[in-house]
Amino acid sequence: MRKKTIISIAIFFLIFLGIFIHPERVIYEAEIIGKVLDEKGIPIQGAKVSRIEEKQTKHKDGYYEYEEYISETVLTDKNGQFTLEEKKRIEWIHYPFSLPYVWCYADFEVFKENYKIYRTEFNDYSEYNEKSIGCENITFSPTISLKKNNE
């Protein structure tokens, strides 16, 4: 009797665990293909373009804190062009009844010495994806104009 109870509890625990931990949800980050110019329209070579993502942490008190971090960095070529490739990652731990996300956002910053840093604001680059899979197959094509630093 005791062996059957232990096996039943183990099976129940594995099923319950499988509901919350499995590779079901894939998170996509949009592809960004853009160009960086100065105020006169001349391409800027060697500008650093960084993708900004958000990391979510849950505190002991139960509230969530969001922290920004740079996940990818590229330099512009001689024509001022850059490409941040589409990224995807698997989310293993999630809630079984989480709602699908349909908005895609792209946040990034551009840095070049002697120029003011350009950073996107919330909702600068966003798109509604009717397929409910976030940023899959979405490309943003910004043209960024950097202003000289007048210090």
Side-chain angles (χ1 to χ4, degrees):
M1 175 73 178
R2 183 174 175 155
K3 190 174 185 180
K4 285 184 179 181
T5 305
I6 292 173
I7 291 173
S8 298
I9 290 172
I11 290 173
F12 175 76
F13 178 72
L14 290 174
I15 290 171
F16 183 75
L17 194 63
I19 290 173
F20 293 99
I21 301 176
H22 58 284
E24 182 175 277
R25 188 170 173 189
V26 179
I27 308 295
Y28 289 91
E29 294 293 333
E31 179 178 45
I32 304 170
I33 300 174
K35 193 170 193 173
V36 179
L37 309 170
D38 66 5
E39 295 173 297
K40 298 176 185 174
I42 300 170
I44 298 176
Q45 180 179 2
K48 186 169 97 172
V49 182
S50 303
R51 183 190 303 268
I52 300 170
E53 292 186 45
E54 215 170 56
K55 183 178 6 178
Q56 174 183 329
T57 53
K58 184 176 181 180
H59 290 274
K60 293 177 184 177
D61 300 338
Y63 69 92
Y64 289 94
E65 185 175 351
Y66 298 93
E67 180 182 347
E68 292 182 344
Y69 70 98
I70 293 174
S71 66
E72 181 181 5
T73 300
V74 297
L75 296 176
T76 56
D77 63 11
K78 66 180 179 180
N79 298 320
Q81 297 179 340
F82 67 92
T83 302
L84 292 170
E85 300 289 333
E86 179 183 73
K87 288 177 33 178
K88 65 180 178 180
R89 67 182 184 274
I90 296 173
E91 190 174 82
W92 285 83
I93 299 174
H94 56 88
Y95 302 106
F97 305 111
S98 58
L99 297 173
Y101 59 104
V102 294
W103 280 95
C104 174
Y105 299 98
D107 293 321
F108 59 94
E109 71 178 19
V110 181
F111 170 78
K112 178 69 176 173
E113 202 168 312
N114 299 323
Y115 289 90
K116 291 183 179 178
I117 295 175
Y118 173 85
R119 185 179 174 118
T120 58
E121 297 290 327
F122 178 73
N123 220 9
D124 280 350
Y125 296 96
S126 63
E127 188 172 319
Y128 183 79
N129 190 351
E130 294 177 5
K131 297 178 187 174
S132 298
I133 45 178
C135 294
E136 186 178 19
N137 299 322
I138 290 182
T139 301
F140 293 107
S141 302
T143 300
I144 308 302
S145 179
L146 293 182
K147 296 179 181 178
K148 281 276 192 186
N149 218 356
N150 297 328
E151 291 182 21

PDB file of all heavy atoms in Angstrom, residues 44-71:
ATOM      1  N   ILE A  44      27.770  57.616 -40.582  1.00  0.00           N
ATOM      2  CA  ILE A  44      28.744  57.553 -39.494  1.00  0.00           C
ATOM      3  C   ILE A  44      29.243  56.119 -39.354  1.00  0.00           C
ATOM      4  O   ILE A  44      28.458  55.206 -39.102  1.00  0.00           O
ATOM      5  CB  ILE A  44      28.113  58.018 -38.164  1.00  0.00           C
ATOM      6  CG1 ILE A  44      27.665  59.471 -38.276  1.00  0.00           C
ATOM      7  CG2 ILE A  44      29.092  57.837 -37.018  1.00  0.00           C
ATOM      8  CD1 ILE A  44      26.956  59.983 -37.048  1.00  0.00           C
ATOM      9  N   GLN A  45      30.538  55.942 -39.527  1.00  0.00           N
ATOM     10  CA  GLN A  45      31.146  54.619 -39.405  1.00  0.00           C
ATOM     11  C   GLN A  45      31.598  54.402 -37.959  1.00  0.00           C
ATOM     12  O   GLN A  45      32.090  55.308 -37.302  1.00  0.00           O
ATOM     13  CB  GLN A  45      32.350  54.500 -40.341  1.00  0.00           C
ATOM     14  CG  GLN A  45      33.035  53.160 -40.276  1.00  0.00           C
ATOM     15  CD  GLN A  45      34.212  53.063 -41.248  1.00  0.00           C
ATOM     16  OE1 GLN A  45      34.530  54.022 -41.943  1.00  0.00           O
ATOM     17  NE2 GLN A  45      34.837  51.908 -41.275  1.00  0.00           N
ATOM     18  N   GLY A  46      31.453  53.175 -37.465  1.00  0.00           N
ATOM     19  CA  GLY A  46      31.956  52.817 -36.141  1.00  0.00           C
ATOM     20  C   GLY A  46      31.085  53.241 -34.977  1.00  0.00           C
ATOM     21  O   GLY A  46      31.544  53.201 -33.839  1.00  0.00           O
ATOM     22  N   ALA A  47      29.838  53.625 -35.224  1.00  0.00           N
ATOM     23  CA  ALA A  47      28.927  53.934 -34.123  1.00  0.00           C
ATOM     24  C   ALA A  47      28.490  52.621 -33.472  1.00  0.00           C
ATOM     25  O   ALA A  47      28.273  51.625 -34.150  1.00  0.00           O
ATOM     26  CB  ALA A  47      27.715  54.706 -34.626  1.00  0.00           C
ATOM     27  N   LYS A  48      28.382  52.622 -32.161  1.00  0.00           N
ATOM     28  CA  LYS A  48      28.006  51.419 -31.419  1.00  0.00           C
ATOM     29  C   LYS A  48      26.492  51.404 -31.233  1.00  0.00           C
ATOM     30  O   LYS A  48      25.927  52.308 -30.628  1.00  0.00           O
ATOM     31  CB  LYS A  48      28.721  51.413 -30.077  1.00  0.00           C
ATOM     32  CG  LYS A  48      28.526  50.142 -29.286  1.00  0.00           C
ATOM     33  CD  LYS A  48      29.469  50.099 -28.104  1.00  0.00           C
ATOM     34  CE  LYS A  48      28.769  50.576 -26.878  1.00  0.00           C
ATOM     35  NZ  LYS A  48      29.548  50.393 -25.647  1.00  0.00           N
ATOM     36  N   VAL A  49      25.849  50.352 -31.752  1.00  0.00           N
ATOM     37  CA  VAL A  49      24.398  50.192 -31.637  1.00  0.00           C
ATOM     38  C   VAL A  49      24.144  49.008 -30.714  1.00  0.00           C
ATOM     39  O   VAL A  49      24.633  47.906 -30.962  1.00  0.00           O
ATOM     40  CB  VAL A  49      23.745  49.950 -33.011  1.00  0.00           C
ATOM     41  CG1 VAL A  49      22.239  49.845 -32.876  1.00  0.00           C
ATOM     42  CG2 VAL A  49      24.119  51.051 -33.992  1.00  0.00           C
ATOM     43  N   SER A  50      23.377  49.228 -29.651  1.00  0.00           N
ATOM     44  CA  SER A  50      23.143  48.199 -28.637  1.00  0.00           C
ATOM     45  C   SER A  50      21.657  47.942 -28.461  1.00  0.00           C
ATOM     46  O   SER A  50      20.878  48.879 -28.273  1.00  0.00           O
ATOM     47  CB  SER A  50      23.728  48.625 -27.295  1.00  0.00           C
ATOM     48  OG  SER A  50      25.100  48.904 -27.418  1.00  0.00           O
ATOM     49  N   ARG A  51      21.288  46.668 -28.476  1.00  0.00           N
ATOM     50  CA  ARG A  51      19.899  46.270 -28.201  1.00  0.00           C
ATOM     51  C   ARG A  51      19.683  46.287 -26.695  1.00  0.00           C
ATOM     52  O   ARG A  51      20.510  45.811 -25.932  1.00  0.00           O
ATOM     53  CB  ARG A  51      19.625  44.866 -28.724  1.00  0.00           C
ATOM     54  CG  ARG A  51      18.181  44.417 -28.531  1.00  0.00           C
ATOM     55  CD  ARG A  51      17.994  42.944 -28.838  1.00  0.00           C
ATOM     56  NE  ARG A  51      18.386  42.550 -30.151  1.00  0.00           N
ATOM     57  CZ  ARG A  51      17.592  42.499 -31.226  1.00  0.00           C
ATOM     58  NH1 ARG A  51      16.328  42.842 -31.099  1.00  0.00           N
ATOM     59  NH2 ARG A  51      18.041  42.110 -32.391  1.00  0.00           N
ATOM     60  N   ILE A  52      18.565  46.859 -26.270  1.00  0.00           N
ATOM     61  CA  ILE A  52      18.242  46.941 -24.849  1.00  0.00           C
ATOM     62  C   ILE A  52      17.055  46.015 -24.575  1.00  0.00           C
ATOM     63  O   ILE A  52      16.024  46.121 -25.226  1.00  0.00           O
ATOM     64  CB  ILE A  52      17.898  48.380 -24.435  1.00  0.00           C
ATOM     65  CG1 ILE A  52      19.081  49.289 -24.717  1.00  0.00           C
ATOM     66  CG2 ILE A  52      17.495  48.438 -22.977  1.00  0.00           C
ATOM     67  CD1 ILE A  52      18.780  50.749 -24.579  1.00  0.00           C
ATOM     68  N   GLU A  53      17.254  45.106 -23.627  1.00  0.00           N
ATOM     69  CA  GLU A  53      16.178  44.199 -23.229  1.00  0.00           C
ATOM     70  C   GLU A  53      15.880  44.404 -21.754  1.00  0.00           C
ATOM     71  O   GLU A  53      16.594  45.110 -21.055  1.00  0.00           O
ATOM     72  CB  GLU A  53      16.581  42.747 -23.491  1.00  0.00           C
ATOM     73  CG  GLU A  53      16.691  42.429 -24.969  1.00  0.00           C
ATOM     74  CD  GLU A  53      16.956  40.966 -25.225  1.00  0.00           C
ATOM     75  OE1 GLU A  53      16.273  40.126 -24.583  1.00  0.00           O
ATOM     76  OE2 GLU A  53      17.820  40.649 -26.039  1.00  0.00           O
ATOM     77  N   GLU A  54      14.838  43.754 -21.287  1.00  0.00           N
ATOM     78  CA  GLU A  54      14.408  43.903 -19.912  1.00  0.00           C
ATOM     79  C   GLU A  54      14.450  42.554 -19.211  1.00  0.00           C
ATOM     80  O   GLU A  54      13.998  41.549 -19.745  1.00  0.00           O
ATOM     81  CB  GLU A  54      12.968  44.436 -19.897  1.00  0.00           C
ATOM     82  CG  GLU A  54      12.685  45.358 -18.777  1.00  0.00           C
ATOM     83  CD  GLU A  54      11.334  46.028 -18.950  1.00  0.00           C
ATOM     84  OE1 GLU A  54      10.332  45.305 -19.089  1.00  0.00           O
ATOM     85  OE2 GLU A  54      11.291  47.259 -18.932  1.00  0.00           O
ATOM     86  N   LYS A  55      15.024  42.551 -18.019  1.00  0.00           N
ATOM     87  CA  LYS A  55      15.083  41.341 -17.202  1.00  0.00           C
ATOM     88  C   LYS A  55      14.114  41.514 -16.053  1.00  0.00           C
ATOM     89  O   LYS A  55      14.084  42.560 -15.400  1.00  0.00           O
ATOM     90  CB  LYS A  55      16.504  41.146 -16.683  1.00  0.00           C
ATOM     91  CG  LYS A  55      16.695  39.896 -15.884  1.00  0.00           C
ATOM     92  CD  LYS A  55      18.110  39.643 -15.382  1.00  0.00           C
ATOM     93  CE  LYS A  55      19.110  40.707 -15.619  1.00  0.00           C
ATOM     94  NZ  LYS A  55      20.438  40.431 -15.087  1.00  0.00           N
ATOM     95  N   GLN A  56      13.316  40.491 -15.793  1.00  0.00           N
ATOM     96  CA  GLN A  56      12.311  40.553 -14.733  1.00  0.00           C
ATOM     97  C   GLN A  56      12.773  39.699 -13.564  1.00  0.00           C
ATOM     98  O   GLN A  56      13.133  38.544 -13.733  1.00  0.00           O
ATOM     99  CB  GLN A  56      10.989  40.022 -15.280  1.00  0.00           C
ATOM    100  CG  GLN A  56       9.901  39.885 -14.265  1.00  0.00           C
ATOM    101  CD  GLN A  56       8.648  39.290 -14.870  1.00  0.00           C
ATOM    102  OE1 GLN A  56       8.346  39.484 -16.027  1.00  0.00           O
ATOM    103  NE2 GLN A  56       7.911  38.542 -14.087  1.00  0.00           N
ATOM    104  N   THR A  57      12.753  40.266 -12.377  1.00  0.00           N
ATOM    105  CA  THR A  57      13.086  39.509 -11.169  1.00  0.00           C
ATOM    106  C   THR A  57      11.957  39.659 -10.159  1.00  0.00           C
ATOM    107  O   THR A  57      11.366  40.734 -10.027  1.00  0.00           O
ATOM    108  CB  THR A  57      14.407  39.989 -10.528  1.00  0.00           C
ATOM    109  OG1 THR A  57      14.336  41.392 -10.321  1.00  0.00           O
ATOM    110  CG2 THR A  57      15.593  39.691 -11.408  1.00  0.00           C
ATOM    111  N   LYS A  58      11.686  38.573  -9.468  1.00  0.00           N
ATOM    112  CA  LYS A  58      10.626  38.598  -8.453  1.00  0.00           C
ATOM    113  C   LYS A  58      11.280  38.637  -7.079  1.00  0.00           C
ATOM    114  O   LYS A  58      12.162  37.843  -6.780  1.00  0.00           O
ATOM    115  CB  LYS A  58       9.747  37.361  -8.576  1.00  0.00           C
ATOM    116  CG  LYS A  58       8.576  37.369  -7.626  1.00  0.00           C
ATOM    117  CD  LYS A  58       7.679  36.180  -7.841  1.00  0.00           C
ATOM    118  CE  LYS A  58       6.500  36.234  -6.884  1.00  0.00           C
ATOM    119  NZ  LYS A  58       5.606  35.098  -7.064  1.00  0.00           N
ATOM    120  N   HIS A  59      10.844  39.560  -6.260  1.00  0.00           N
ATOM    121  CA  HIS A  59      11.387  39.717  -4.916  1.00  0.00           C
ATOM    122  C   HIS A  59      10.615  38.854  -3.913  1.00  0.00           C
ATOM    123  O   HIS A  59       9.519  38.385  -4.194  1.00  0.00           O
ATOM    124  CB  HIS A  59      11.345  41.187  -4.492  1.00  0.00           C
ATOM    125  CG  HIS A  59      12.310  42.020  -5.241  1.00  0.00           C
ATOM    126  ND1 HIS A  59      13.613  42.166  -4.862  1.00  0.00           N
ATOM    127  CD2 HIS A  59      12.184  42.734  -6.387  1.00  0.00           C
ATOM    128  CE1 HIS A  59      14.249  42.955  -5.719  1.00  0.00           C
ATOM    129  NE2 HIS A  59      13.397  43.304  -6.653  1.00  0.00           N
ATOM    130  N   LYS A  60      11.203  38.687  -2.750  1.00  0.00           N
ATOM    131  CA  LYS A  60      10.583  37.880  -1.700  1.00  0.00           C
ATOM    132  C   LYS A  60       9.229  38.436  -1.275  1.00  0.00           C
ATOM    133  O   LYS A  60       8.351  37.694  -0.863  1.00  0.00           O
ATOM    134  CB  LYS A  60      11.504  37.794  -0.487  1.00  0.00           C
ATOM    135  CG  LYS A  60      12.762  37.020  -0.751  1.00  0.00           C
ATOM    136  CD  LYS A  60      13.668  37.024   0.460  1.00  0.00           C
ATOM    137  CE  LYS A  60      14.973  36.324   0.141  1.00  0.00           C
ATOM    138  NZ  LYS A  60      15.915  36.364   1.266  1.00  0.00           N
ATOM    139  N   ASP A  61       9.076  39.755  -1.388  1.00  0.00           N
ATOM    140  CA  ASP A  61       7.820  40.397  -0.998  1.00  0.00           C
ATOM    141  C   ASP A  61       6.700  40.141  -2.006  1.00  0.00           C
ATOM    142  O   ASP A  61       5.564  40.496  -1.758  1.00  0.00           O
ATOM    143  CB  ASP A  61       8.014  41.906  -0.843  1.00  0.00           C
ATOM    144  CG  ASP A  61       9.053  42.244   0.210  1.00  0.00           C
ATOM    145  OD1 ASP A  61       9.300  41.387   1.082  1.00  0.00           O
ATOM    146  OD2 ASP A  61       9.610  43.347   0.156  1.00  0.00           O
ATOM    147  N   GLY A  62       7.036  39.577  -3.167  1.00  0.00           N
ATOM    148  CA  GLY A  62       6.028  39.246  -4.168  1.00  0.00           C
ATOM    149  C   GLY A  62       5.934  40.218  -5.322  1.00  0.00           C
ATOM    150  O   GLY A  62       5.206  39.983  -6.276  1.00  0.00           O
ATOM    151  N   TYR A  63       6.655  41.333  -5.272  1.00  0.00           N
ATOM    152  CA  TYR A  63       6.570  42.288  -6.376  1.00  0.00           C
ATOM    153  C   TYR A  63       7.694  42.020  -7.389  1.00  0.00           C
ATOM    154  O   TYR A  63       8.704  41.420  -7.073  1.00  0.00           O
ATOM    155  CB  TYR A  63       6.621  43.738  -5.873  1.00  0.00           C
ATOM    156  CG  TYR A  63       7.949  44.171  -5.310  1.00  0.00           C
ATOM    157  CD1 TYR A  63       8.901  44.775  -6.119  1.00  0.00           C
ATOM    158  CD2 TYR A  63       8.256  43.987  -3.967  1.00  0.00           C
ATOM    159  CE1 TYR A  63      10.120  45.185  -5.612  1.00  0.00           C
ATOM    160  CE2 TYR A  63       9.468  44.384  -3.451  1.00  0.00           C
ATOM    161  CZ  TYR A  63      10.399  44.978  -4.280  1.00  0.00           C
ATOM    162  OH  TYR A  63      11.601  45.363  -3.783  1.00  0.00           O
ATOM    163  N   TYR A  64       7.446  42.467  -8.612  1.00  0.00           N
ATOM    164  CA  TYR A  64       8.403  42.266  -9.695  1.00  0.00           C
ATOM    165  C   TYR A  64       9.189  43.542  -9.941  1.00  0.00           C
ATOM    166  O   TYR A  64       8.638  44.637  -9.867  1.00  0.00           O
ATOM    167  CB  TYR A  64       7.685  41.867 -10.994  1.00  0.00           C
ATOM    168  CG  TYR A  64       7.121  40.473 -10.951  1.00  0.00           C
ATOM    169  CD1 TYR A  64       5.807  40.249 -10.566  1.00  0.00           C
ATOM    170  CD2 TYR A  64       7.901  39.391 -11.304  1.00  0.00           C
ATOM    171  CE1 TYR A  64       5.284  38.970 -10.526  1.00  0.00           C
ATOM    172  CE2 TYR A  64       7.391  38.105 -11.263  1.00  0.00           C
ATOM    173  CZ  TYR A  64       6.079  37.910 -10.874  1.00  0.00           C
ATOM    174  OH  TYR A  64       5.584  36.634 -10.838  1.00  0.00           O
ATOM    175  N   GLU A  65      10.451  43.381 -10.269  1.00  0.00           N
ATOM    176  CA  GLU A  65      11.294  44.518 -10.622  1.00  0.00           C
ATOM    177  C   GLU A  65      11.861  44.266 -12.013  1.00  0.00           C
ATOM    178  O   GLU A  65      12.273  43.154 -12.333  1.00  0.00           O
ATOM    179  CB  GLU A  65      12.435  44.659  -9.612  1.00  0.00           C
ATOM    180  CG  GLU A  65      13.273  45.895  -9.846  1.00  0.00           C
ATOM    181  CD  GLU A  65      14.315  46.092  -8.761  1.00  0.00           C
ATOM    182  OE1 GLU A  65      14.281  45.387  -7.757  1.00  0.00           O
ATOM    183  OE2 GLU A  65      15.166  46.970  -8.944  1.00  0.00           O
ATOM    184  N   TYR A  66      11.863  45.299 -12.824  1.00  0.00           N
ATOM    185  CA  TYR A  66      12.348  45.185 -14.190  1.00  0.00           C
ATOM    186  C   TYR A  66      13.641  45.982 -14.324  1.00  0.00           C
ATOM    187  O   TYR A  66      13.698  47.136 -13.932  1.00  0.00           O
ATOM    188  CB  TYR A  66      11.296  45.702 -15.176  1.00  0.00           C
ATOM    189  CG  TYR A  66      10.022  44.904 -15.110  1.00  0.00           C
ATOM    190  CD1 TYR A  66       8.968  45.303 -14.293  1.00  0.00           C
ATOM    191  CD2 TYR A  66       9.886  43.736 -15.838  1.00  0.00           C
ATOM    192  CE1 TYR A  66       7.810  44.558 -14.213  1.00  0.00           C
ATOM    193  CE2 TYR A  66       8.719  42.986 -15.769  1.00  0.00           C
ATOM    194  CZ  TYR A  66       7.686  43.399 -14.954  1.00  0.00           C
ATOM    195  OH  TYR A  66       6.541  42.650 -14.878  1.00  0.00           O
ATOM    196  N   GLU A  67      14.644  45.350 -14.894  1.00  0.00           N
ATOM    197  CA  GLU A  67      15.949  45.974 -15.041  1.00  0.00           C
ATOM    198  C   GLU A  67      16.384  45.872 -16.504  1.00  0.00           C
ATOM    199  O   GLU A  67      16.294  44.814 -17.117  1.00  0.00           O
ATOM    200  CB  GLU A  67      16.954  45.249 -14.146  1.00  0.00           C
ATOM    201  CG  GLU A  67      18.340  45.792 -14.201  1.00  0.00           C
ATOM    202  CD  GLU A  67      19.287  44.989 -13.309  1.00  0.00           C
ATOM    203  OE1 GLU A  67      18.828  44.195 -12.484  1.00  0.00           O
ATOM    204  OE2 GLU A  67      20.497  45.166 -13.481  1.00  0.00           O
ATOM    205  N   GLU A  68      16.838  46.980 -17.045  1.00  0.00           N
ATOM    206  CA  GLU A  68      17.296  46.979 -18.434  1.00  0.00           C
ATOM    207  C   GLU A  68      18.740  46.489 -18.513  1.00  0.00           C
ATOM    208  O   GLU A  68      19.532  46.737 -17.612  1.00  0.00           O
ATOM    209  CB  GLU A  68      17.212  48.388 -19.019  1.00  0.00           C
ATOM    210  CG  GLU A  68      15.807  48.879 -19.203  1.00  0.00           C
ATOM    211  CD  GLU A  68      15.752  50.252 -19.832  1.00  0.00           C
ATOM    212  OE1 GLU A  68      16.789  50.966 -19.857  1.00  0.00           O
ATOM    213  OE2 GLU A  68      14.674  50.633 -20.301  1.00  0.00           O
ATOM    214  N   TYR A  69      19.042  45.796 -19.611  1.00  0.00           N
ATOM    215  CA  TYR A  69      20.412  45.370 -19.860  1.00  0.00           C
ATOM    216  C   TYR A  69      20.665  45.339 -21.366  1.00  0.00           C
ATOM    217  O   TYR A  69      19.744  45.246 -22.162  1.00  0.00           O
ATOM    218  CB  TYR A  69      20.703  44.011 -19.225  1.00  0.00           C
ATOM    219  CG  TYR A  69      19.999  42.839 -19.884  1.00  0.00           C
ATOM    220  CD1 TYR A  69      20.660  42.040 -20.810  1.00  0.00           C
ATOM    221  CD2 TYR A  69      18.679  42.539 -19.580  1.00  0.00           C
ATOM    222  CE1 TYR A  69      20.020  40.971 -21.405  1.00  0.00           C
ATOM    223  CE2 TYR A  69      18.041  41.482 -20.170  1.00  0.00           C
ATOM    224  CZ  TYR A  69      18.715  40.691 -21.084  1.00  0.00           C
ATOM    225  OH  TYR A  69      18.088  39.637 -21.678  1.00  0.00           O
ATOM    226  N   ILE A  70      21.942  45.445 -21.729  1.00  0.00           N
ATOM    227  CA  ILE A  70      22.329  45.419 -23.139  1.00  0.00           C
ATOM    228  C   ILE A  70      22.612  43.969 -23.513  1.00  0.00           C
ATOM    229  O   ILE A  70      23.465  43.319 -22.929  1.00  0.00           O
ATOM    230  CB  ILE A  70      23.552  46.314 -23.381  1.00  0.00           C
ATOM    231  CG1 ILE A  70      23.161  47.772 -23.147  1.00  0.00           C
ATOM    232  CG2 ILE A  70      24.114  46.106 -24.778  1.00  0.00           C
ATOM    233  CD1 ILE A  70      24.297  48.752 -23.202  1.00  0.00           C
ATOM    234  N   SER A  71      21.875  43.465 -24.498  1.00  0.00           N
ATOM    235  CA  SER A  71      22.002  42.055 -24.849  1.00  0.00           C
ATOM    236  C   SER A  71      22.813  41.811 -26.114  1.00  0.00           C
ATOM    237  O   SER A  71      23.271  40.702 -26.337  1.00  0.00           O
ATOM    238  CB  SER A  71      20.616  41.434 -25.023  1.00  0.00           C
ATOM    239  OG  SER A  71      19.962  42.011 -26.129  1.00  0.00           O
TER     240      SER A  71
END
